[in-house]
């Protein structure tokens, strides 16, 4: 299994008036002089070497999908190049196994449960909200002098324009990959999403002049990079692919004609389009001389989806149940608290700053990117912002040893998990109520050691309970919505049993 895992300055000058030179205390490695910019302290050394930052956040890509994580379904040369030229995390997690709460944890830098966000229904008008004094990731970087932009899936309270300088192709839960007759995309930039019953899983677009949505996002990302080449920028590129509806380009149907059944071929095409778009962005960085002055993060929002005939317009010729993508050696998938739902592809690349070819094995969380980006930008997490994340840079350059986190938590209603060291406790609302796994020895979570290690179980459960006792109830309860995470997962139990028996 270890072998499988092993496959596993931007020089900018700008005028700040007035400039007040102050002496800052001990920073990461020593004393540095600072200047005050819009109330934020930014080290003088960072003013000439601050990187551009690109965060690529994909939707429902499995841990085992990229080639660098052992994937074989579809070539991913550009994802793989990031790992080869940067650091690949074997134990990179997201804060939730589902779209909206995962994005909340990423962009807030905190456990999203602090704000009443536990599951998708907690997002909506009058439901959960991040406190006004708590700055999101793009706000912190804007205060440090960055031009900020989002391309793609937002899935957060309020409009993206409230937090970014530029917004393109804004989406919430879903977006159609093929344009309507008027050239607009359902679910994108304020256009009403297609009703679930009208989702189509197919190849397209039909007209040569029509643009596939993933290609559109990539084109707009490249445009943002080229337009802002002369000043530090933060680009949040949030592909909605390979999230359903499963729609891919005709050219990929031909390219991957050997992949069957057809739903997996569609999925392969969607992943290939992402990787191709990433290649265009990397080329733009090289063309503009920005390649070595850009920090790139690549992460998925949760594990791969399980698709079946519950999906609207699911062909009768397709298997009634298929994992769209791969969780590699991990158990579970999207919406589950097994590793396959929570552990994701997680890569950082910053030429000259992060040693190339690293494989980092300590557990990290998506909310660590917030303080890591701030540190790279020469600033700090803003005041009144509760940050549960940790700056990863000292751990990657060897100046700090040990694990960034002593313990990590997850929760949604009566379900959740806690990881401490190699041990992970899963909390379930039904039998088995508690499951205990040693992830070092059993990455596939096949051997429940709850009965063999009762004292360890009790200790982890006590830590989990102490944490959950500090959290507010789910925000949806405020507006009379009681759809629970347990209900959402209940219909997957049959699927899990079918998979265990090897049935489609």
């Amino acid at each position: 299994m270890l072998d499988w895992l092993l496959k596993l300055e931007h020089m900018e000058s700008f005028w700040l008036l007035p400039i007040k030179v102050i002496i800052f205390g001990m920073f990461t490695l020593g004393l540095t002089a600072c200047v005050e910019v819009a109330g934020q302290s930014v080290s003088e050394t960072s003013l000439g070497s601050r990187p551009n930052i690109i965060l690529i956040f994909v939707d429902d890509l499995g841990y085992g999908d990229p080639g660098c994580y052992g994937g074989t379904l579809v070539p991913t040369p550009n994802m793989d190049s990031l790992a080869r030229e940067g650091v690949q995390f074997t134990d990179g997690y997201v804060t939730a196994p589902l779209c909206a709460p995962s994005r909340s944890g990423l962009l807030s830098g905190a456990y999203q449960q602090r704000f009443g966000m536990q599951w998708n229904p907690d997002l909506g008008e009058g439901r959960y909200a991040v406190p006004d004094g708590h700055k999101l990731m793009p706000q912190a970087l804007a205060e440090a002098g960055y031009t900020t932009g989002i391309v793609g899936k937002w899935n957060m309270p309020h409009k993206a324009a409230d937090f970014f300088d530029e917004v393109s192709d804004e989406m919430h839960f879903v977006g159609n990959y093929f344009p309507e007759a008027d050239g607009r995309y359902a679910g994108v930039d304020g256009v009403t999403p297609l009703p679930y019953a009208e989702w189509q899983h197919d190849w397209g677009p039909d007209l040569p002049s029509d643009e596939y949505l993933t290609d559109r996002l990539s084109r707009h990302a490249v445009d943002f990079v080229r337009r802002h080449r002369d000043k530090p920028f933060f680009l949040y590129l949030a592909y909605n692919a390979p999230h359903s509806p499963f729609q891919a380009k005709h050219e990929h149907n031909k390219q991957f004609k050997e992949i069957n059944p057809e739903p997996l071929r569609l999925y392969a095409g969607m992943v290939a389009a992402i990787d191709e778009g990433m290649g265009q962005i990397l080329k733009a960085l090289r063309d503009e001389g920005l390649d070595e002055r850009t920090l790139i993060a690549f992460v998925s929002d949760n594990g791969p989806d399980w698709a079946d005939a519950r999906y609207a317009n699911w062909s009768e010729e397709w298997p009634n149940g298929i994992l769209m993508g791969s969780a590699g050696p991990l158990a579970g998938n999207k919406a589950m608290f097994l590793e396959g739902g929570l552990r994701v592809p997680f890569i950082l690349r910053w030429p000259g700053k992060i040693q190339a070819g690293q494989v980092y094995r300590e557990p990290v969380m998506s909310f660590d990117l917030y303080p890591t980006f701030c540190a790279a930008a020469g600033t700090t997490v803003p005041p009144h912002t509760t940050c549960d994340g940790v700056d990863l840079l000292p751990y990657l350059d060897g100046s700090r040893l040990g694990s960034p986190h002593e313990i990590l938590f997850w929760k949604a209603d009566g379900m959740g998990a806690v990881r401490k060291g190699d041990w992970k406790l899963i909390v379930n609302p039904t039998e088995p109520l508690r499951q205990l796994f040693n992830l070092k020895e059993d990455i596939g979570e096949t051997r429940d050691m709850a009965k063999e290690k009762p004292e360890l179980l009790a200790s982890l459960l006590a830590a989990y309970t102490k944490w959950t006792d500090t959290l507010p109830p789910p925000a949806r309860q405020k507006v009379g919505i009681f759809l629970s995470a347990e209900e959402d997962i209940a219909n997957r139990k049959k699927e899990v049993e079918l998979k265990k028996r090897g049935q489609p």
Side-chain angles (χ1 to χ4, degrees):
M1 193 59 66
L2 184 60
D3 290 340
W4 186 93
L5 287 170
L6 282 170
K7 281 186 191 176
L8 297 160
E9 298 191 289
H10 179 71
M11 293 301 296
E12 179 217 10
S13 40
F14 56 94
W15 299 99
L16 302 169
L17 294 174
I19 298 179
K20 178 183 177 183
V21 178
I22 62 174
I23 299 300
F24 192 52
M26 184 68 73
F27 197 53
T28 305
L29 298 178
L31 292 171
T32 60
C34 293
V35 296
E36 198 171 87
V37 183
Q40 290 295 307
S41 292
V42 183
S43 67
E44 281 185 351
T45 56
S46 73
L47 293 179
S49 60
R50 293 185 301 167
N52 303 302
I53 300 172
I54 299 178
L55 170 55
I56 303 174
F57 204 55
V58 294
D59 203 331
D60 292 359
L61 186 75
Y63 183 83
D65 280 322
C68 55
Y69 282 88
T72 58
L73 180 68
V74 55
T76 56
N78 294 296
M79 297 179 196
D80 300 345
S81 73
L82 293 183
R84 186 171 58 252
E85 298 166 8
V87 57
Q88 176 178 347
F89 295 82
T90 62
D91 294 46
Y93 291 97
V94 284
T95 62
L98 208 62
C99 302
S102 177
R103 282 167 171 72
S104 182
L106 170 79
L107 295 173
S108 69
Y111 286 111
Q112 69 280 353
Q113 296 91 344
R114 292 179 178 274
F115 317 126
M117 163 47 87
Q118 295 190 12
W119 214 242
N120 278 350
D122 291 317
L123 175 64
E125 186 176 354
R127 299 180 207 169
Y128 105 93
V130 178
D132 290 339
H134 187 114
K135 302 294 186 182
L136 297 186
M137 180 190 293
Q139 293 175 297
L141 293 171
E143 290 183 356
Y146 277 65
T147 298
T148 63
I150 176 175
V151 176
K153 188 166 177 176
W154 173 231
N155 217 196
M156 292 279 288
H158 306 293
K159 293 183 179 298
D162 294 338
F163 302 92
F164 290 88
D165 297 318
E166 297 185 17
V167 178
S168 179
D169 309 303
E170 181 177 356
M171 285 174 271
H172 284 274
F173 288 102
V174 295
N176 214 50
Y177 294 89
F178 309 139
E180 302 299 305
D182 62 2
R184 301 191 301 169
Y185 297 77
V188 182
D189 286 337
V191 180
T192 302
L194 288 178
Y196 181 73
E198 296 182 20
W199 284 16
Q200 299 293 330
H201 312 288
D202 205 353
W203 304 94
D206 293 329
L207 299 177
S209 58
D210 287 344
E211 188 174 26
Y212 184 59
L213 183 59
T214 299
D215 294 348
R216 178 184 176 91
L217 268 59
S218 299
R219 178 169 59 83
H220 287 161
V222 168
D223 176 67
F224 182 91
V225 167
R226 294 192 187 279
R227 285 189 293 105
H228 297 291
R229 60 184 178 274
D230 294 326
K231 52 187 176 181
F233 62 76
F234 167 60
L235 173 62
Y236 176 40
L237 174 55
Y239 286 111
N240 59 315
H243 191 291
S244 56
F246 303 111
Q247 299 171 338
K249 295 188 290 185
H250 289 300
E251 64 189 70
H252 288 138
N253 191 17
K254 297 177 182 178
Q255 181 179 351
F256 301 118
K257 61 183 179 181
E258 303 300 326
I259 296 178
N260 286 298
E262 189 177 18
L264 276 185
R265 195 183 322 139
L266 286 163
Y267 182 86
M270 298 173 81
V271 175
I274 294 172
D275 193 78
E276 291 164 0
M278 291 172 59
Q280 295 166 18
I281 294 163
L282 292 172
K283 181 179 183 301
L285 291 172
R286 291 192 298 270
D287 291 348
E288 301 296 342
L290 302 175
D291 188 52
E292 295 189 357
R293 293 180 282 169
T294 302
L295 167 59
I296 301 176
F298 176 81
V299 186
S300 181
D301 70 337
N302 47 246
D305 195 11
W306 178 260
D308 57 27
R310 291 174 301 136
Y311 273 87
N313 300 306
W314 189 261
S315 173
E316 294 181 357
E317 299 178 358
W318 293 349
N320 184 19
I322 185 170
L323 186 64
M324 300 297 283
S326 171
L330 311 178
N333 46 264
K334 177 180 180 177
M336 293 183 174
F337 288 85
L338 292 164
E339 291 291 284
L342 295 168
R343 196 189 294 206
V344 296
F346 198 120
I347 302 170
L348 287 179
R349 172 186 179 270
W350 188 7
K353 300 294 184 180
I354 293 177
Q355 181 180 342
Q358 288 190 69
V359 177
Y360 189 79
R361 303 185 184 282
E362 295 294 335
V364 299
M365 191 84 99
S366 54
F367 56 34
D368 293 330
L369 294 177
Y370 187 144
T372 301
F373 290 169
C374 285
T379 189
T380 57
V381 174
H384 312 297
T385 296
T386 300
C387 184
D388 293 306
V390 174
D391 172 17
L392 298 177
L393 296 178
Y395 294 94
L396 300 180
D397 66 18
S399 60
R400 185 170 298 170
L401 303 178
S403 179
H405 297 279
E406 178 184 358
I407 194 165
L408 292 171
F409 300 104
W410 297 268
K411 173 179 168 54
D413 299 318
M415 305 177 304
V418 53
R419 175 171 177 176
K420 185 174 183 180
D422 295 329
W423 291 93
K424 178 182 173 187
L425 172 69
I426 299 179
V427 176
N428 301 307
T430 57
E431 293 292 343
L433 295 177
R434 310 287 183 260
Q435 293 173 286
L436 183 65
F437 300 104
N438 184 317
L439 296 178
K440 184 177 182 179
E441 299 177 356
D442 179 23
I443 193 175
E445 295 171 296
T446 61
R447 182 186 176 192
D448 184 0
M449 302 186 69
K451 293 182 179 179
E452 300 177 41
K453 301 282 186 179
E455 293 182 359
L456 176 59
L457 187 153
S459 174
L460 291 175
L461 183 60
Y464 177 78
T465 302
K466 182 179 179 180
W467 175 69
T468 59
D469 284 348
T470 68
L471 304 175
R476 60 190 176 277
Q477 294 184 4
K478 300 177 183 178
V479 290
I481 297 176
F482 295 99
L483 175 66
S484 70
E486 292 98 329
E487 291 171 316
D488 192 35
I489 287 186
N491 61 14
R492 297 176 181 265
K493 288 186 176 180
K494 181 179 178 181
E495 302 158 4
V496 173
E497 292 304 315
L498 288 174
K499 284 189 285 185
K500 286 180 179 179
R501 297 198 296 266
Q503 298 181 22

